[in-house]
Amino acid sequence: AIISVNAEMPDGSTMNLGSNTFRVKDIPDPVAMWSGIKSSDGSISVREIAGFNPLVAKMENFDFELRPSVKSFTLKVTKDGTYLEEKSNSFDFTSDMKELLNSPKRGMTIYFEDIVVSMPGGEKRKIAGLTLKVKN
């Protein structure tokens, strides 16, 4: 983008104060978090799971205040040797999802995939998933 600055002078004339070229970058994808925990943290406690906080998307290392919102996601778990998945069409857990996460066991892995967020301006994006292993 080229930004040009003009000023109206006291005599009514316009004076060009110059222009400069700026590089404009896309807004990066937000990071999915559950109970304040992201994939790089790696694990979640049984107590944190029991709170059933909504899935959120946050901007990391971004200079501006943006609040993306989760519009849908898929929860996948392996429970008692069976692979199960449920879809939510919001940021919150469905009753079936809560049932899947009832009585989590140490070592169980929880996958949040197909996460779709709404960015400012209405743009929808699919962001990276969230994988957490149950610790205690």
Side-chain angles (χ1 to χ4, degrees):
I2 298 174
I3 308 291
S4 298
V5 178
N6 294 310
E8 185 176 327
M9 304 309 288
D11 66 1
S13 65
T14 302
M15 179 180 215
N16 183 331
L17 299 175
S19 63
N20 208 342
T21 303
F22 290 87
R23 186 174 63 167
V24 178
K25 295 169 60 175
D26 285 335
I27 297 172
D29 285 341
V31 175
M33 298 179 91
W34 186 35
S35 294
I37 302 167
K38 56 190 173 186
S39 268
S40 61
D41 296 331
S43 62
I44 189 166
S45 72
V46 171
R47 181 181 52 77
E48 289 163 327
I49 293 170
F52 289 110
N53 292 314
L55 186 65
V56 298
K58 294 201 173 178
M59 301 302 295
E60 287 195 320
N61 303 316
F62 192 66
D63 294 334
F64 303 100
E65 186 68 30
L66 295 180
R67 295 181 190 203
S69 58
V70 174
K71 294 298 179 189
S72 64
F73 67 96
T74 302
L75 172 73
K76 299 177 181 182
V77 298
T78 302
K79 193 169 185 178
D80 301 324
T82 305
Y83 180 76
L84 305 164
E85 70 178 68
E86 291 291 333
K87 181 157 180 62
S88 173
N89 289 315
S90 76
F91 59 87
D92 219 349
F93 288 83
T94 65
S95 57
D96 290 336
M97 287 176 165
K98 290 178 180 179
E99 184 62 35
L100 281 181
L101 293 173
N102 190 24
S103 305
K105 294 179 174 54
R106 179 183 169 101
M108 180 173 114
T109 303
I110 302 168
Y111 305 91
F112 294 90
E113 296 181 350
D114 306 317
I115 303 168
V116 175
V117 299
S118 178
M119 299 295 286
E123 175 193 3
K124 292 206 183 331
R125 289 188 191 179
K126 186 174 177 182
I127 64 170
L130 171 63
T131 303
L132 299 171
K133 189 162 252 186
V134 179
K135 54 183 185 188
N136 60 5

